[in-house]
Amino acid sequence: MKAVSGGVEEANGQSCARSAASCDTVQVEGSDGQTSVNVGPERHISIQTTLEGLEKLVDLNGAGRKSCPLCPEEKFKACYSHKLRRHLQNLHWKVYVEFEGQKMCICHLPCRQLRPSLGADQAAGRLVAHYHCVVCSVTIARKTDMISHLKRHINKGETEASYSQNTDMLEQEPVRAGQAYEIMKELGTNVQLLPNHSTPQKSDTYFNRKMKTNRQLVFCALAVLAEERSPLECLDAFGATGIMGLQWAKHLRGAVKVIINDISEPCVKMIKENCQLNNIRMEGSRTPRAAEGQGDADTPIATVEVVKMDANVIMHLRAFDYIHLDPFGTSVNYLDAAFRNVRNLGIVSVTSTDTGSLYSKSLNVTLRHYGCQIVRTEYYRELAARMVVASVARAAARCNKGVEVLLAVALEHFVLVVVRVLRGPTQADEAAKRLRQLLHCQWCEERVFLKPGSMVEDSLYRQLPCQCHGSMPGKTAVELGPLWSGPLFNTGFLRRMLVAAVKHSMEDLQPLLKTLVCEADCTTVKSFSVTANQVECGVVIKTLQKGEGADSSDQSGKRKPGEDSGSVVKKLKTEASLDHPPFYYSIHRHSIRGMNMPKLNKFLQYLTEAGFRVSRTHFDPTGVRTDATLEQFKSVLTKYSAPTYSNAQSAGHSMPVATDDAGRVGN
């Protein structure tokens, strides 16, 4: 065995420590005559097991002055042995960090320098005390940060032995370490996760269990599109663990051709391992094909294509029928590329998790990302959804495409928008006309979209139904937007999503879809019958019946020329049902002080009896979507609210308080 080490720095005629761990190359000749090469980081001299090992770095028994092996000459001058021994014990050894029997002592050598700030150039050469990690050789200044760093190594299953193995083996066969992975099953799909999968800053493959509803909604939307035309080319642009694309391939089988993309190498490796875990063949791989003759249990049930590429690049290079964007944060950086090559009548679904800017917590970030002026309102969730749809519509219009919003959901910490792409400048113009400014009263929170037109009005307050401007001093309203003023739901598409949820046994998703159907129709009557044909944005969608899938495509999977893809027939826009009213009112926000509100379901019945369209909303459990104005809403709420008696009245013989029809308390 032959070992070759890197050079050693010399200072004042003595051999001192290296500033960073060098690499040792060790050649080992095996029994078969072949030579394998092991490359591993050399352990820094500040990492010792005992105090005696630290003292052996310098000859303390010799005569004369000696320098500290872990300090530069300008920091600690050469001294006699007894003083140097106390220095090693008190300054370096007492503050060590222990990891699996190895003590990482503090180091003052010029391995790490303080980064100079803009206003302090003189600190460029200042040295910083630091620790050397025993696992990855990184330098960290604080002891608490080093302890946290080591915990991340433990969570990933990385120890000192992980870096001493053959690097060729690590590339070909990743370390699986059964204790380091956690197997999670969702919708019949197994994925292996790291223990710290829920922390994006500390994990290479991020996975969020709370996004299960988001994944199910996206799956149902793709299942509905697969009924219209087949086969589909669908892209999961940010695969991470690959669970979403694997669910598509596992349940929709030959109806979809799934492409899972991620730019991170660890994520791509994890996706490939999860493909093998679910018996799904990767396109271009040889191992699954060789296993087909072993039996039906080893035959791959589906095929996916795993790609390592930037999301913008792959969407510019290839055309897709379905694209799902779920980056960590905002998705505005990928919208232009998504609409560039998406096919006509295809679907683009966008998930945004930057709730800080969407929910009016970081207004400067909102203006920078979405180009919208907003404030915190009672309907902030729907405001965020309309803001995302406006960004999607503008990106589509730049590519001469229009959009029809099929679904817009704001749940927990994400906003999901699903739109259908309609090609042509006419469709793009129609979508652009739906981007309007919103006038919002800051006193009573009444709101109304400004009327379209370029003429300047004398006073925009005339468009508000409330009278706050006349009774309150100063300016009472703000102008928000631009926002999407059209509908956020398509009833026919949601009904077919509900059928897909029932078909694939998504019991926890069905109540949400039923609420969305009622919200789209703005009604409390729950009827969920699904017809064969649905009208969406003036387009009659004919779903594929059994036995029609083979007729629409040949054996090679290509669509026949001259046929309408997915049996979609364009027709003139017919008289459709009324769109649902924009926004909603919170019954708690507008309750009357000193009055007990009626139950929410009872209140919905009272509004319906008064002649208004009304429904509940998924944006707010206490919200009511209605076409009534705020003044009409409050009048009905006041009429059916019962007075609350004070403690003094309830202690004695209390008398009921009489109210008139308008809800005013009589004298």
Side-chain angles (χ1 to χ4, degrees):
M1 182 175 64
K2 181 181 179 181
V4 181
S5 302
V8 182
E9 295 182 359
E10 302 244 341
N12 299 326
Q14 295 183 355
S15 175
C16 66
R18 298 172 177 85
S19 61
S22 60
C23 292
D24 289 348
T25 304
V26 183
Q27 297 182 356
V28 182
E29 184 174 355
S31 58
D32 54 354
Q34 297 181 354
T35 302
S36 62
V37 181
N38 289 347
V39 181
E42 183 182 354
R43 183 176 301 171
H44 196 265
I45 61 172
S46 63
I47 303 174
Q48 301 291 334
T49 56
T50 59
L51 177 60
E52 289 75 12
L54 184 63
E55 294 176 349
K56 288 180 181 179
L57 296 177
V58 60
D59 186 14
L60 295 178
N61 297 325
R65 297 177 181 269
K66 301 176 180 60
S67 300
C68 176
L70 297 179
C71 293
E73 183 68 23
E74 59 270 15
K75 181 175 179 62
F76 185 80
K77 296 183 179 180
C79 61
Y80 291 103
S81 300
H82 65 281
K83 188 176 181 180
L84 181 58
R85 182 179 284 107
R86 291 199 304 268
H87 169 78
L88 292 175
Q89 292 177 357
N90 297 332
L91 182 65
H92 297 285
W93 181 258
K94 280 189 176 181
V95 290
Y96 67 78
V97 178
E98 185 176 3
F99 180 75
E100 295 188 355
Q102 304 291 330
K103 276 81 172 179
M104 290 163 279
C105 303
I106 195 167
C107 174
H108 291 270
L109 295 174
C111 313
R112 178 190 180 98
Q113 292 187 354
L114 183 66
R115 296 179 181 177
S117 60
L118 296 177
D121 296 336
Q122 68 275 10
R126 178 183 171 187
L127 302 179
V128 179
H130 56 274
Y131 295 91
H132 289 264
C133 179
V134 69
V135 179
C136 62
S137 301
V138 71
T139 57
I140 296 178
R142 295 183 179 181
K143 182 177 180 180
T144 55
D145 294 341
M146 174 57 76
I147 295 175
S148 301
H149 176 77
L150 293 173
K151 288 181 179 180
R152 289 196 288 271
H153 281 306
I154 295 174
N155 292 337
K156 291 183 179 181
E158 298 172 348
T159 61
E160 185 183 3
S162 302
Y163 294 86
S164 61
Q165 296 179 3
N166 193 338
T167 56
D168 295 336
M169 293 182 60
L170 289 175
E171 292 180 1
Q172 297 176 2
E173 186 177 359
V175 180
R176 299 187 62 90
Q179 294 81 5
Y181 289 103
E182 174 186 354
I183 303 298
M184 197 277 306
K185 187 173 184 180
E186 180 181 297
L187 197 62
T189 305
N190 297 319
V191 290
Q192 58 181 8
L193 308 171
L194 293 172
N196 58 348
H197 60 269
S198 60
T199 309
Q201 293 85 0
K202 302 178 182 179
S203 175
D204 295 326
T205 56
Y206 177 61
F207 179 81
N208 191 354
R209 296 177 184 270
K210 296 181 180 179
M211 297 289 283
K212 179 181 178 181
T213 303
N214 179 281
R215 289 186 287 269
Q216 290 179 341
L217 288 171
V218 172
F219 176 85
C220 291
L222 179 60
V224 171
L225 183 62
E227 295 178 356
E228 301 172 7
R229 50 182 177 178
S230 178
L232 297 174
E233 291 190 43
C234 49
L235 171 67
D236 182 9
F238 301 90
T241 59
I243 182 171
M244 188 172 293
L246 295 177
Q247 289 176 352
W248 299 349
K250 195 167 186 177
H251 293 277
L252 301 179
R253 303 293 178 91
V256 294
K257 179 184 178 183
V258 180
I259 297 94
I260 306 177
N261 174 72
D262 205 291
I263 197 172
S264 173
E265 183 65 30
C267 290
V268 173
K269 290 182 179 180
M270 181 70 74
I271 293 171
K272 293 180 179 179
E273 293 178 6
N274 289 332
C275 287
Q276 298 176 3
L277 188 64
N278 292 275
N279 197 21
I280 295 177
R281 186 178 67 87
M282 292 173 290
E283 189 170 315
S285 62
R286 299 180 180 179
T287 304
R289 286 186 179 273
E292 289 181 3
Q294 297 180 4
D296 295 336
D298 297 331
T299 303
I301 60 177
T303 303
V304 299
E305 181 181 354
V306 182
V307 181
K308 180 181 179 296
M309 195 179 297
D310 185 82
N312 283 323
V313 174
I314 189 173
M315 288 187 292
H316 274 285
L317 294 178
R318 301 173 60 174
F320 298 97
D321 299 283
Y322 188 96
I323 297 176
H324 177 63
L325 301 177
D326 186 9
F328 185 75
T330 182
S331 57
V332 294
N333 300 326
Y334 308 96
L335 294 178
D336 290 332
F339 286 100
R340 178 178 177 85
N341 282 332
V342 63
R343 294 191 175 98
N344 189 30
L345 298 178
I347 290 180
V348 176
S349 58
V350 179
T351 300
S352 300
T353 56
D354 53 332
T355 55
S357 57
L358 291 174
Y359 292 164
S360 310
K361 297 178 182 178
S362 303
L363 299 181
N364 56 334
V365 181
T366 305
L367 183 61
R368 186 166 65 247
H369 286 173
Y370 299 95
C372 293
Q373 292 280 1
I374 60 174
V375 295
R376 183 76 173 192
T377 62
E378 64 170 324
Y379 50 92
Y380 67 95
R381 289 184 182 270
E382 185 171 347
L383 197 69
R386 292 185 178 274
M387 189 163 49
V388 175
V389 175
S391 300
V392 171
R394 284 195 298 267
R398 286 192 290 268
C399 300
N400 286 335
K401 295 182 177 71
V403 295
E404 176 210 0
V405 183
L406 304 176
L407 174 67
V409 173
L411 293 175
E412 296 185 8
H413 61 284
F414 72 89
V415 176
L416 173 65
V417 172
V418 181
V419 298
R420 187 186 295 275
V421 180
L422 306 172
R423 276 189 177 178
T426 304
Q427 301 290 347
D429 294 340
E430 290 294 328
K433 290 178 182 178
R434 293 179 178 268
L435 302 181
R436 298 183 188 177
Q437 299 292 122
L438 181 72
L439 200 60
H440 170 81
C441 179
Q442 291 188 302
W443 286 95
C444 64
E445 297 212 36
E446 180 65 287
R447 78 292 305 216
V448 64
F449 279 109
L450 295 181
K451 297 178 181 179
S454 58
M455 302 302 294
V456 180
E457 294 189 5
D458 295 337
S459 177
L460 295 177
Y461 291 101
R462 297 177 181 176
Q463 298 189 26
L464 276 173
C466 65
Q467 304 298 328
C468 297
H469 179 64
S471 59
M472 299 292 180
K475 299 180 179 180
T476 59
V478 291
E479 193 173 343
L480 309 181
L483 303 171
W484 176 261
S485 62
L488 295 179
F489 312 100
N490 185 281
T491 308
F493 192 84
L494 288 173
R495 291 180 185 274
R496 290 191 287 152
M497 284 182 63
L498 180 59
V499 174
V502 174
K503 178 180 178 181
H504 295 280
S505 303
M506 299 180 185
E507 288 81 6
D508 49 348
L509 185 66
Q510 296 174 21
L512 174 62
L513 288 175
K514 292 178 181 179
T515 302
L516 293 175
V517 171
C518 293
E519 189 174 0
D521 290 335
C522 196
T523 179
T524 56
V525 179
K526 297 182 179 181
S527 96
F528 306 107
S529 60
V530 180
T531 59
N533 298 338
Q534 300 290 341
V535 178
E536 298 176 8
C537 195
V539 178
V540 176
I541 306 297
K542 180 182 178 183
T543 58
L544 293 177
Q545 304 296 330
K546 293 183 178 180
E548 294 181 2
D551 298 334
S552 61
S553 60
D554 53 13
Q555 297 298 328
S556 61
K558 299 181 180 179
R559 301 186 184 94
K560 292 183 179 181
E563 291 186 1
D564 295 326
S565 59
S567 299
V568 178
V569 183
K570 292 186 178 181
K571 297 183 68 177
L572 295 176
K573 201 166 188 177
T574 57
E575 185 177 356
S577 59
L578 294 176
D579 295 337
H580 62 81
F583 301 111
Y584 54 90
Y585 301 106
S586 175
I587 189 174
H588 286 179
R589 165 67 175 81
H590 300 287
S591 60
I592 297 93
R593 180 175 297 181
M595 307 285 283
N596 286 331
M597 298 181 302
K599 296 295 183 180
L600 184 56
N601 292 333
K602 282 286 186 180
F603 181 66
L604 297 179
Q605 182 180 351
Y606 297 149
L607 282 174
T608 304
E609 294 173 354
F612 301 111
R613 299 176 62 199
V614 63
S615 71
R616 301 189 67 168
T617 176
H618 79 282
F619 291 111
D620 187 357
T622 64
V624 177
R625 185 180 297 277
T626 178
D627 57 352
T629 62
L630 181 59
E631 183 178 359
Q632 295 168 338
F633 181 88
K634 284 185 175 181
S635 64
V636 177
L637 182 61
T638 305
K639 179 179 180 180
Y640 294 98
S641 296
T644 302
Y645 303 108
S646 61
N647 294 331
Q649 290 176 335
S650 60
H653 298 282
S654 58
M655 297 294 293
V657 180
T659 58
D660 55 7
D661 294 339
R664 294 186 294 269
V665 180
N667 295 328

